[in-house]
Amino acid sequence: MARLRSVLPARSAAIVDDYEDHLRDERGLSGHTVRGYVGDVVSLLAFFHGVTDEGESETPPNPPGTSLGGPSQGCEERPGEGVRERLDSLDVGVLRAWLARQHEQGRSRTTLARRAASARTFTAWAYKRGLVASDPGARLASPRPHRRLPGVLRQDEAGELMRVSATGAEDGHPLALRDHALIELLYATGVRISELCGLDIDDVDFERRIVRVLGKGRKQRMVPFGLPAERSLQSWLRRGRPEVATRDSGPALFLGARGRRVDPRTVRRVVHETVAAVPGAVDVGPHGLRHSAATHMLDGGADLRSVQELLGHATLATTQLYTHVTVERLKAIHDQTHPRAR
């Protein structure tokens, strides 16, 4: 995508830079989310300019004589206003043609839905900036993605996962203590992997057993955790972290082998390797532990609103996905046990 971005005309490249700054600085989105949005917009603008995703030229979808190459009349650049290129020919037909090309290239319904959402976010921003006369994304429909049921651990498998993790930490090795603590905290709180990696020591309130989490959109929430997570965190902080901490560690709660803030790739590896030691368990990563925590809370009688708040979901619709898992489980139990199920 970086190569494709480099072949955009200078003014469109500057628009992308402006948009990236907006997503990061004004909306406070995570680096991963910003990269996704920007990558989709680069693909859209490349198509708009007649450049394929491979960086090759083709016939652009916009008609000749548009204001694509420079500022339109009445939209001159003024000091301090930044880029003022007009993109009036970026209409809903271009957006549909771009998505059609993605479909031809074999993109999934989920990817197409995400890219349509990215296009709508971009054109809404461009309209507010005066780069388009109207917002074409407002008229863009997108295919509804297939909502697959997430893979989750059974409660007994989650318990076995914690036992395996605790056994690995019995020798007192610093990184084994860390691994056990982060697995316990992931399952206890259902936090996202980015939220876990961003935790500082003073985000943990041991007296109340609450962790302060900075979630999507830089929204802060407080999430409780239980005694097993508390014990594992205390062991890590007393016996493990001091052994690997360096001058570069700062306040980070979890550290990598070289003493810096732990990397998400390390957390994924730890979770996958530990889950692999649980007989019969489906392969899940950190997000799978989040799914498992939510499902088990609902199985235990938690209401949707409470789970929504704990997980930091912006809408209840996202949390409702977990109810499908619970219902599917109930149906399976009914089919297996009820004398009139079949």
Side-chain angles (χ1 to χ4, degrees), residues 114-151:
R114 191 207 74 208
R115 293 194 169 181
S118 292
R120 284 192 291 269
T121 301
F122 172 70
T123 59
W125 171 83
Y127 177 61
K128 290 179 181 178
R129 289 291 305 272
L131 302 177
V132 289
S134 61
D135 179 7
R139 299 169 51 205
L140 180 67
S142 60
R144 297 187 64 180
H146 294 300
R147 305 199 74 179
R148 295 178 298 175
L149 297 178

PDB file of all heavy atoms in Angstrom, residues 114-151:
ATOM      1  N   ARG A 114     -16.379  -3.396   4.987  1.00  0.00           N
ATOM      2  CA  ARG A 114     -15.446  -2.523   5.706  1.00  0.00           C
ATOM      3  C   ARG A 114     -14.948  -1.396   4.812  1.00  0.00           C
ATOM      4  O   ARG A 114     -14.839  -0.248   5.233  1.00  0.00           O
ATOM      5  CB  ARG A 114     -14.254  -3.339   6.205  1.00  0.00           C
ATOM      6  CG  ARG A 114     -13.354  -2.596   7.192  1.00  0.00           C
ATOM      7  CD  ARG A 114     -11.938  -3.129   7.139  1.00  0.00           C
ATOM      8  NE  ARG A 114     -11.245  -2.706   5.935  1.00  0.00           N
ATOM      9  CZ  ARG A 114     -10.264  -3.390   5.372  1.00  0.00           C
ATOM     10  NH1 ARG A 114      -9.892  -4.561   5.854  1.00  0.00           N
ATOM     11  NH2 ARG A 114      -9.661  -2.928   4.284  1.00  0.00           N
ATOM     12  N   ARG A 115     -14.650  -1.712   3.548  1.00  0.00           N
ATOM     13  CA  ARG A 115     -14.145  -0.681   2.634  1.00  0.00           C
ATOM     14  C   ARG A 115     -15.231   0.325   2.273  1.00  0.00           C
ATOM     15  O   ARG A 115     -14.940   1.507   2.087  1.00  0.00           O
ATOM     16  CB  ARG A 115     -13.544  -1.331   1.387  1.00  0.00           C
ATOM     17  CG  ARG A 115     -12.284  -2.106   1.719  1.00  0.00           C
ATOM     18  CD  ARG A 115     -11.466  -2.499   0.519  1.00  0.00           C
ATOM     19  NE  ARG A 115     -10.172  -2.998   0.954  1.00  0.00           N
ATOM     20  CZ  ARG A 115      -9.207  -3.415   0.142  1.00  0.00           C
ATOM     21  NH1 ARG A 115      -9.407  -3.392  -1.168  1.00  0.00           N
ATOM     22  NH2 ARG A 115      -8.072  -3.849   0.624  1.00  0.00           N
ATOM     23  N   ALA A 116     -16.460  -0.134   2.176  1.00  0.00           N
ATOM     24  CA  ALA A 116     -17.560   0.808   1.947  1.00  0.00           C
ATOM     25  C   ALA A 116     -17.687   1.759   3.130  1.00  0.00           C
ATOM     26  O   ALA A 116     -17.907   2.963   2.961  1.00  0.00           O
ATOM     27  CB  ALA A 116     -18.862   0.047   1.720  1.00  0.00           C
ATOM     28  N   ALA A 117     -17.556   1.227   4.342  1.00  0.00           N
ATOM     29  CA  ALA A 117     -17.612   2.076   5.532  1.00  0.00           C
ATOM     30  C   ALA A 117     -16.451   3.067   5.547  1.00  0.00           C
ATOM     31  O   ALA A 117     -16.620   4.238   5.913  1.00  0.00           O
ATOM     32  CB  ALA A 117     -17.593   1.208   6.786  1.00  0.00           C
ATOM     33  N   SER A 118     -15.265   2.615   5.129  1.00  0.00           N
ATOM     34  CA  SER A 118     -14.111   3.513   5.055  1.00  0.00           C
ATOM     35  C   SER A 118     -14.366   4.641   4.058  1.00  0.00           C
ATOM     36  O   SER A 118     -14.022   5.803   4.313  1.00  0.00           O
ATOM     37  CB  SER A 118     -12.864   2.736   4.624  1.00  0.00           C
ATOM     38  OG  SER A 118     -12.456   1.831   5.620  1.00  0.00           O
ATOM     39  N   ALA A 119     -14.966   4.289   2.898  1.00  0.00           N
ATOM     40  CA  ALA A 119     -15.263   5.308   1.886  1.00  0.00           C
ATOM     41  C   ALA A 119     -16.261   6.327   2.418  1.00  0.00           C
ATOM     42  O   ALA A 119     -16.104   7.536   2.195  1.00  0.00           O
ATOM     43  CB  ALA A 119     -15.801   4.634   0.623  1.00  0.00           C
ATOM     44  N   ARG A 120     -17.272   5.858   3.132  1.00  0.00           N
ATOM     45  CA  ARG A 120     -18.265   6.788   3.685  1.00  0.00           C
ATOM     46  C   ARG A 120     -17.635   7.732   4.714  1.00  0.00           C
ATOM     47  O   ARG A 120     -17.946   8.927   4.755  1.00  0.00           O
ATOM     48  CB  ARG A 120     -19.429   6.006   4.313  1.00  0.00           C
ATOM     49  CG  ARG A 120     -20.388   5.406   3.290  1.00  0.00           C
ATOM     50  CD  ARG A 120     -21.652   4.907   3.963  1.00  0.00           C
ATOM     51  NE  ARG A 120     -21.392   3.745   4.790  1.00  0.00           N
ATOM     52  CZ  ARG A 120     -21.486   2.476   4.352  1.00  0.00           C
ATOM     53  NH1 ARG A 120     -21.838   2.247   3.092  1.00  0.00           N
ATOM     54  NH2 ARG A 120     -21.248   1.471   5.157  1.00  0.00           N
ATOM     55  N   THR A 121     -16.759   7.193   5.526  1.00  0.00           N
ATOM     56  CA  THR A 121     -16.080   8.035   6.524  1.00  0.00           C
ATOM     57  C   THR A 121     -15.226   9.096   5.830  1.00  0.00           C
ATOM     58  O   THR A 121     -15.213  10.266   6.233  1.00  0.00           O
ATOM     59  CB  THR A 121     -15.190   7.162   7.430  1.00  0.00           C
ATOM     60  OG1 THR A 121     -16.002   6.178   8.081  1.00  0.00           O
ATOM     61  CG2 THR A 121     -14.484   8.004   8.485  1.00  0.00           C
ATOM     62  N   PHE A 122     -14.526   8.691   4.776  1.00  0.00           N
ATOM     63  CA  PHE A 122     -13.661   9.631   4.057  1.00  0.00           C
ATOM     64  C   PHE A 122     -14.460  10.713   3.344  1.00  0.00           C
ATOM     65  O   PHE A 122     -14.125  11.903   3.427  1.00  0.00           O
ATOM     66  CB  PHE A 122     -12.802   8.870   3.043  1.00  0.00           C
ATOM     67  CG  PHE A 122     -12.030   9.771   2.118  1.00  0.00           C
ATOM     68  CD1 PHE A 122     -10.972  10.537   2.591  1.00  0.00           C
ATOM     69  CD2 PHE A 122     -12.373   9.859   0.772  1.00  0.00           C
ATOM     70  CE1 PHE A 122     -10.265  11.376   1.743  1.00  0.00           C
ATOM     71  CE2 PHE A 122     -11.674  10.699  -0.080  1.00  0.00           C
ATOM     72  CZ  PHE A 122     -10.613  11.458   0.402  1.00  0.00           C
ATOM     73  N   THR A 123     -15.517  10.325   2.623  1.00  0.00           N
ATOM     74  CA  THR A 123     -16.266  11.334   1.870  1.00  0.00           C
ATOM     75  C   THR A 123     -17.008  12.297   2.789  1.00  0.00           C
ATOM     76  O   THR A 123     -17.187  13.469   2.461  1.00  0.00           O
ATOM     77  CB  THR A 123     -17.255  10.672   0.886  1.00  0.00           C
ATOM     78  OG1 THR A 123     -18.176   9.831   1.615  1.00  0.00           O
ATOM     79  CG2 THR A 123     -16.510   9.834  -0.153  1.00  0.00           C
ATOM     80  N   ALA A 124     -17.438  11.811   3.960  1.00  0.00           N
ATOM     81  CA  ALA A 124     -18.065  12.715   4.935  1.00  0.00           C
ATOM     82  C   ALA A 124     -17.059  13.755   5.405  1.00  0.00           C
ATOM     83  O   ALA A 124     -17.377  14.954   5.530  1.00  0.00           O
ATOM     84  CB  ALA A 124     -18.609  11.921   6.125  1.00  0.00           C
ATOM     85  N   TRP A 125     -15.822  13.309   5.660  1.00  0.00           N
ATOM     86  CA  TRP A 125     -14.755  14.250   6.038  1.00  0.00           C
ATOM     87  C   TRP A 125     -14.441  15.211   4.900  1.00  0.00           C
ATOM     88  O   TRP A 125     -14.292  16.416   5.113  1.00  0.00           O
ATOM     89  CB  TRP A 125     -13.510  13.465   6.430  1.00  0.00           C
ATOM     90  CG  TRP A 125     -12.284  14.303   6.634  1.00  0.00           C
ATOM     91  CD1 TRP A 125     -11.928  14.994   7.762  1.00  0.00           C
ATOM     92  CD2 TRP A 125     -11.235  14.539   5.674  1.00  0.00           C
ATOM     93  NE1 TRP A 125     -10.744  15.648   7.565  1.00  0.00           N
ATOM     94  CE2 TRP A 125     -10.286  15.384   6.301  1.00  0.00           C
ATOM     95  CE3 TRP A 125     -11.010  14.121   4.363  1.00  0.00           C
ATOM     96  CZ2 TRP A 125      -9.129  15.822   5.643  1.00  0.00           C
ATOM     97  CZ3 TRP A 125      -9.864  14.548   3.715  1.00  0.00           C
ATOM     98  CH2 TRP A 125      -8.935  15.380   4.341  1.00  0.00           C
ATOM     99  N   ALA A 126     -14.352  14.677   3.669  1.00  0.00           N
ATOM    100  CA  ALA A 126     -14.037  15.523   2.513  1.00  0.00           C
ATOM    101  C   ALA A 126     -15.115  16.576   2.279  1.00  0.00           C
ATOM    102  O   ALA A 126     -14.820  17.721   1.912  1.00  0.00           O
ATOM    103  CB  ALA A 126     -13.863  14.648   1.267  1.00  0.00           C
ATOM    104  N   TYR A 127     -16.359  16.209   2.517  1.00  0.00           N
ATOM    105  CA  TYR A 127     -17.463  17.161   2.360  1.00  0.00           C
ATOM    106  C   TYR A 127     -17.352  18.291   3.382  1.00  0.00           C
ATOM    107  O   TYR A 127     -17.531  19.469   3.057  1.00  0.00           O
ATOM    108  CB  TYR A 127     -18.794  16.429   2.497  1.00  0.00           C
ATOM    109  CG  TYR A 127     -20.005  17.324   2.430  1.00  0.00           C
ATOM    110  CD1 TYR A 127     -20.277  18.092   1.299  1.00  0.00           C
ATOM    111  CD2 TYR A 127     -20.892  17.401   3.500  1.00  0.00           C
ATOM    112  CE1 TYR A 127     -21.392  18.920   1.238  1.00  0.00           C
ATOM    113  CE2 TYR A 127     -22.011  18.213   3.453  1.00  0.00           C
ATOM    114  CZ  TYR A 127     -22.249  18.974   2.316  1.00  0.00           C
ATOM    115  OH  TYR A 127     -23.345  19.797   2.260  1.00  0.00           O
ATOM    116  N   LYS A 128     -17.038  17.933   4.615  1.00  0.00           N
ATOM    117  CA  LYS A 128     -16.885  18.959   5.652  1.00  0.00           C
ATOM    118  C   LYS A 128     -15.702  19.872   5.354  1.00  0.00           C
ATOM    119  O   LYS A 128     -15.724  21.057   5.703  1.00  0.00           O
ATOM    120  CB  LYS A 128     -16.697  18.299   7.018  1.00  0.00           C
ATOM    121  CG  LYS A 128     -17.951  17.616   7.547  1.00  0.00           C
ATOM    122  CD  LYS A 128     -17.702  16.966   8.901  1.00  0.00           C
ATOM    123  CE  LYS A 128     -18.953  16.274   9.416  1.00  0.00           C
ATOM    124  NZ  LYS A 128     -18.716  15.584  10.714  1.00  0.00           N
ATOM    125  N   ARG A 129     -14.680  19.318   4.701  1.00  0.00           N
ATOM    126  CA  ARG A 129     -13.509  20.124   4.351  1.00  0.00           C
ATOM    127  C   ARG A 129     -13.706  20.944   3.084  1.00  0.00           C
ATOM    128  O   ARG A 129     -12.840  21.713   2.692  1.00  0.00           O
ATOM    129  CB  ARG A 129     -12.288  19.210   4.167  1.00  0.00           C
ATOM    130  CG  ARG A 129     -11.741  18.605   5.443  1.00  0.00           C
ATOM    131  CD  ARG A 129     -11.091  19.653   6.332  1.00  0.00           C
ATOM    132  NE  ARG A 129     -10.067  20.384   5.617  1.00  0.00           N
ATOM    133  CZ  ARG A 129      -8.793  20.006   5.530  1.00  0.00           C
ATOM    134  NH1 ARG A 129      -8.395  18.895   6.126  1.00  0.00           N
ATOM    135  NH2 ARG A 129      -7.915  20.729   4.860  1.00  0.00           N
ATOM    136  N   GLY A 130     -14.832  20.760   2.387  1.00  0.00           N
ATOM    137  CA  GLY A 130     -15.087  21.488   1.162  1.00  0.00           C
ATOM    138  C   GLY A 130     -14.390  20.919  -0.051  1.00  0.00           C
ATOM    139  O   GLY A 130     -14.233  21.604  -1.070  1.00  0.00           O
ATOM    140  N   LEU A 131     -13.988  19.648   0.025  1.00  0.00           N
ATOM    141  CA  LEU A 131     -13.294  19.020  -1.097  1.00  0.00           C
ATOM    142  C   LEU A 131     -14.259  18.415  -2.106  1.00  0.00           C
ATOM    143  O   LEU A 131     -13.867  18.096  -3.223  1.00  0.00           O
ATOM    144  CB  LEU A 131     -12.342  17.927  -0.581  1.00  0.00           C
ATOM    145  CG  LEU A 131     -11.282  18.397   0.423  1.00  0.00           C
ATOM    146  CD1 LEU A 131     -10.454  17.218   0.900  1.00  0.00           C
ATOM    147  CD2 LEU A 131     -10.389  19.457  -0.201  1.00  0.00           C
ATOM    148  N   VAL A 132     -15.506  18.214  -1.710  1.00  0.00           N
ATOM    149  CA  VAL A 132     -16.550  17.741  -2.617  1.00  0.00           C
ATOM    150  C   VAL A 132     -17.792  18.599  -2.395  1.00  0.00           C
ATOM    151  O   VAL A 132     -18.025  19.093  -1.285  1.00  0.00           O
ATOM    152  CB  VAL A 132     -16.884  16.248  -2.397  1.00  0.00           C
ATOM    153  CG1 VAL A 132     -15.756  15.354  -2.876  1.00  0.00           C
ATOM    154  CG2 VAL A 132     -17.202  15.968  -0.937  1.00  0.00           C
ATOM    155  N   ALA A 133     -18.576  18.775  -3.456  1.00  0.00           N
ATOM    156  CA  ALA A 133     -19.759  19.632  -3.360  1.00  0.00           C
ATOM    157  C   ALA A 133     -20.871  18.966  -2.558  1.00  0.00           C
ATOM    158  O   ALA A 133     -21.689  19.639  -1.933  1.00  0.00           O
ATOM    159  CB  ALA A 133     -20.259  19.987  -4.760  1.00  0.00           C
ATOM    160  N   SER A 134     -20.914  17.634  -2.588  1.00  0.00           N
ATOM    161  CA  SER A 134     -21.883  16.874  -1.802  1.00  0.00           C
ATOM    162  C   SER A 134     -21.202  15.591  -1.350  1.00  0.00           C
ATOM    163  O   SER A 134     -20.130  15.241  -1.845  1.00  0.00           O
ATOM    164  CB  SER A 134     -23.134  16.557  -2.628  1.00  0.00           C
ATOM    165  OG  SER A 134     -22.796  15.766  -3.759  1.00  0.00           O
ATOM    166  N   ASP A 135     -21.826  14.904  -0.427  1.00  0.00           N
ATOM    167  CA  ASP A 135     -21.222  13.691   0.133  1.00  0.00           C
ATOM    168  C   ASP A 135     -21.740  12.463  -0.619  1.00  0.00           C
ATOM    169  O   ASP A 135     -22.851  12.004  -0.378  1.00  0.00           O
ATOM    170  CB  ASP A 135     -21.560  13.586   1.618  1.00  0.00           C
ATOM    171  CG  ASP A 135     -20.973  12.336   2.259  1.00  0.00           C
ATOM    172  OD1 ASP A 135     -20.208  11.625   1.588  1.00  0.00           O
ATOM    173  OD2 ASP A 135     -21.290  12.080   3.444  1.00  0.00           O
ATOM    174  N   PRO A 136     -20.925  11.890  -1.533  1.00  0.00           N
ATOM    175  CA  PRO A 136     -21.408  10.729  -2.289  1.00  0.00           C
ATOM    176  C   PRO A 136     -21.532   9.474  -1.435  1.00  0.00           C
ATOM    177  O   PRO A 136     -22.324   8.592  -1.736  1.00  0.00           O
ATOM    178  CB  PRO A 136     -20.336  10.552  -3.370  1.00  0.00           C
ATOM    179  CG  PRO A 136     -19.100  11.133  -2.771  1.00  0.00           C
ATOM    180  CD  PRO A 136     -19.559  12.278  -1.922  1.00  0.00           C
ATOM    181  N   GLY A 137     -20.759   9.393  -0.353  1.00  0.00           N
ATOM    182  CA  GLY A 137     -20.808   8.202   0.483  1.00  0.00           C
ATOM    183  C   GLY A 137     -22.137   8.021   1.177  1.00  0.00           C
ATOM    184  O   GLY A 137     -22.497   6.902   1.546  1.00  0.00           O
ATOM    185  N   ALA A 138     -22.885   9.122   1.351  1.00  0.00           N
ATOM    186  CA  ALA A 138     -24.185   9.033   2.007  1.00  0.00           C
ATOM    187  C   ALA A 138     -25.167   8.199   1.198  1.00  0.00           C
ATOM    188  O   ALA A 138     -26.156   7.693   1.736  1.00  0.00           O
ATOM    189  CB  ALA A 138     -24.738  10.431   2.251  1.00  0.00           C
ATOM    190  N   ARG A 139     -24.910   8.061  -0.099  1.00  0.00           N
ATOM    191  CA  ARG A 139     -25.804   7.286  -0.983  1.00  0.00           C
ATOM    192  C   ARG A 139     -25.259   5.895  -1.269  1.00  0.00           C
ATOM    193  O   ARG A 139     -25.836   5.151  -2.066  1.00  0.00           O
ATOM    194  CB  ARG A 139     -26.006   8.035  -2.302  1.00  0.00           C
ATOM    195  CG  ARG A 139     -26.641   9.417  -2.139  1.00  0.00           C
ATOM    196  CD  ARG A 139     -26.543  10.198  -3.456  1.00  0.00           C
ATOM    197  NE  ARG A 139     -27.046   9.416  -4.583  1.00  0.00           N
ATOM    198  CZ  ARG A 139     -26.671   9.596  -5.845  1.00  0.00           C
ATOM    199  NH1 ARG A 139     -25.778  10.527  -6.145  1.00  0.00           N
ATOM    200  NH2 ARG A 139     -27.173   8.862  -6.808  1.00  0.00           N
ATOM    201  N   LEU A 140     -24.147   5.529  -0.633  1.00  0.00           N
ATOM    202  CA  LEU A 140     -23.504   4.260  -0.933  1.00  0.00           C
ATOM    203  C   LEU A 140     -24.013   3.160  -0.013  1.00  0.00           C
ATOM    204  O   LEU A 140     -23.898   3.257   1.211  1.00  0.00           O
ATOM    205  CB  LEU A 140     -21.979   4.393  -0.778  1.00  0.00           C
ATOM    206  CG  LEU A 140     -21.158   3.132  -1.061  1.00  0.00           C
ATOM    207  CD1 LEU A 140     -21.251   2.753  -2.544  1.00  0.00           C
ATOM    208  CD2 LEU A 140     -19.705   3.331  -0.641  1.00  0.00           C
ATOM    209  N   ALA A 141     -24.580   2.139  -0.611  1.00  0.00           N
ATOM    210  CA  ALA A 141     -24.972   0.953   0.151  1.00  0.00           C
ATOM    211  C   ALA A 141     -23.831  -0.051   0.096  1.00  0.00           C
ATOM    212  O   ALA A 141     -22.980  -0.001  -0.795  1.00  0.00           O
ATOM    213  CB  ALA A 141     -26.241   0.347  -0.432  1.00  0.00           C
ATOM    214  N   SER A 142     -23.800  -0.948   1.041  1.00  0.00           N
ATOM    215  CA  SER A 142     -22.742  -1.955   1.054  1.00  0.00           C
ATOM    216  C   SER A 142     -23.328  -3.296   1.449  1.00  0.00           C
ATOM    217  O   SER A 142     -24.336  -3.364   2.151  1.00  0.00           O
ATOM    218  CB  SER A 142     -21.638  -1.561   2.044  1.00  0.00           C
ATOM    219  OG  SER A 142     -22.150  -1.447   3.356  1.00  0.00           O
ATOM    220  N   PRO A 143     -22.702  -4.375   0.988  1.00  0.00           N
ATOM    221  CA  PRO A 143     -23.204  -5.703   1.352  1.00  0.00           C
ATOM    222  C   PRO A 143     -23.060  -5.933   2.841  1.00  0.00           C
ATOM    223  O   PRO A 143     -22.070  -5.529   3.459  1.00  0.00           O
ATOM    224  CB  PRO A 143     -22.296  -6.652   0.559  1.00  0.00           C
ATOM    225  CG  PRO A 143     -21.042  -5.873   0.323  1.00  0.00           C
ATOM    226  CD  PRO A 143     -21.484  -4.444   0.164  1.00  0.00           C
ATOM    227  N   ARG A 144     -24.051  -6.560   3.438  1.00  0.00           N
ATOM    228  CA  ARG A 144     -23.961  -6.885   4.856  1.00  0.00           C
ATOM    229  C   ARG A 144     -22.988  -8.042   5.031  1.00  0.00           C
ATOM    230  O   ARG A 144     -23.095  -9.072   4.368  1.00  0.00           O
ATOM    231  CB  ARG A 144     -25.330  -7.269   5.410  1.00  0.00           C
ATOM    232  CG  ARG A 144     -26.347  -6.152   5.360  1.00  0.00           C
ATOM    233  CD  ARG A 144     -27.615  -6.539   6.076  1.00  0.00           C
ATOM    234  NE  ARG A 144     -27.380  -6.753   7.499  1.00  0.00           N
ATOM    235  CZ  ARG A 144     -28.342  -7.094   8.357  1.00  0.00           C
ATOM    236  NH1 ARG A 144     -29.585  -7.277   7.924  1.00  0.00           N
ATOM    237  NH2 ARG A 144     -28.064  -7.278   9.623  1.00  0.00           N
ATOM    238  N   PRO A 145     -22.000  -7.878   5.906  1.00  0.00           N
ATOM    239  CA  PRO A 145     -21.028  -8.961   6.068  1.00  0.00           C
ATOM    240  C   PRO A 145     -21.661 -10.169   6.742  1.00  0.00           C
ATOM    241  O   PRO A 145     -22.609 -10.050   7.513  1.00  0.00           O
ATOM    242  CB  PRO A 145     -19.963  -8.327   6.993  1.00  0.00           C
ATOM    243  CG  PRO A 145     -20.703  -7.275   7.743  1.00  0.00           C
ATOM    244  CD  PRO A 145     -21.748  -6.746   6.789  1.00  0.00           C
ATOM    245  N   HIS A 146     -21.106 -11.342   6.403  1.00  0.00           N
ATOM    246  CA  HIS A 146     -21.540 -12.543   7.103  1.00  0.00           C
ATOM    247  C   HIS A 146     -21.007 -12.473   8.528  1.00  0.00           C
ATOM    248  O   HIS A 146     -19.808 -12.344   8.744  1.00  0.00           O
ATOM    249  CB  HIS A 146     -20.990 -13.803   6.406  1.00  0.00           C
ATOM    250  CG  HIS A 146     -21.543 -14.018   5.042  1.00  0.00           C
ATOM    251  ND1 HIS A 146     -22.887 -14.195   4.788  1.00  0.00           N
ATOM    252  CD2 HIS A 146     -20.929 -14.078   3.828  1.00  0.00           C
ATOM    253  CE1 HIS A 146     -23.081 -14.369   3.489  1.00  0.00           C
ATOM    254  NE2 HIS A 146     -21.913 -14.303   2.886  1.00  0.00           N
ATOM    255  N   ARG A 147     -21.886 -12.551   9.501  1.00  0.00           N
ATOM    256  CA  ARG A 147     -21.470 -12.473  10.897  1.00  0.00           C
ATOM    257  C   ARG A 147     -21.234 -13.892  11.406  1.00  0.00           C
ATOM    258  O   ARG A 147     -22.154 -14.596  11.796  1.00  0.00           O
ATOM    259  CB  ARG A 147     -22.512 -11.743  11.733  1.00  0.00           C
ATOM    260  CG  ARG A 147     -22.841 -10.374  11.198  1.00  0.00           C
ATOM    261  CD  ARG A 147     -23.483  -9.502  12.243  1.00  0.00           C
ATOM    262  NE  ARG A 147     -22.488  -9.070  13.219  1.00  0.00           N
ATOM    263  CZ  ARG A 147     -22.797  -8.273  14.250  1.00  0.00           C
ATOM    264  NH1 ARG A 147     -24.025  -7.859  14.419  1.00  0.00           N
ATOM    265  NH2 ARG A 147     -21.859  -7.913  15.095  1.00  0.00           N
ATOM    266  N   ARG A 148     -19.961 -14.291  11.371  1.00  0.00           N
ATOM    267  CA  ARG A 148     -19.618 -15.630  11.815  1.00  0.00           C
ATOM    268  C   ARG A 148     -19.588 -15.686  13.338  1.00  0.00           C
ATOM    269  O   ARG A 148     -19.177 -14.746  14.007  1.00  0.00           O
ATOM    270  CB  ARG A 148     -18.250 -16.031  11.273  1.00  0.00           C
ATOM    271  CG  ARG A 148     -18.200 -16.152   9.759  1.00  0.00           C
ATOM    272  CD  ARG A 148     -16.811 -16.507   9.317  1.00  0.00           C
ATOM    273  NE  ARG A 148     -15.860 -15.458   9.677  1.00  0.00           N
ATOM    274  CZ  ARG A 148     -14.541 -15.543   9.491  1.00  0.00           C
ATOM    275  NH1 ARG A 148     -14.022 -16.650   8.997  1.00  0.00           N
ATOM    276  NH2 ARG A 148     -13.747 -14.541   9.820  1.00  0.00           N
ATOM    277  N   LEU A 149     -20.039 -16.820  13.873  1.00  0.00           N
ATOM    278  CA  LEU A 149     -19.975 -16.996  15.311  1.00  0.00           C
ATOM    279  C   LEU A 149     -18.514 -17.135  15.721  1.00  0.00           C
ATOM    280  O   LEU A 149     -17.768 -17.907  15.116  1.00  0.00           O
ATOM    281  CB  LEU A 149     -20.762 -18.253  15.722  1.00  0.00           C
ATOM    282  CG  LEU A 149     -22.259 -18.222  15.430  1.00  0.00           C
ATOM    283  CD1 LEU A 149     -22.884 -19.543  15.847  1.00  0.00           C
ATOM    284  CD2 LEU A 149     -22.922 -17.064  16.133  1.00  0.00           C
ATOM    285  N   PRO A 150     -18.085 -16.379  16.723  1.00  0.00           N
ATOM    286  CA  PRO A 150     -16.676 -16.432  17.118  1.00  0.00           C
ATOM    287  C   PRO A 150     -16.342 -17.753  17.799  1.00  0.00           C
ATOM    288  O   PRO A 150     -17.173 -18.366  18.468  1.00  0.00           O
ATOM    289  CB  PRO A 150     -16.557 -15.272  18.116  1.00  0.00           C
ATOM    290  CG  PRO A 150     -17.934 -15.118  18.669  1.00  0.00           C
ATOM    291  CD  PRO A 150     -18.869 -15.452  17.543  1.00  0.00           C
ATOM    292  N   GLY A 151     -15.103 -18.203  17.608  1.00  0.00           N
ATOM    293  CA  GLY A 151     -14.646 -19.385  18.309  1.00  0.00           C
ATOM    294  C   GLY A 151     -14.395 -19.050  19.771  1.00  0.00           C
ATOM    295  O   GLY A 151     -13.757 -18.042  20.078  1.00  0.00           O
TER     296      GLY A 151
END
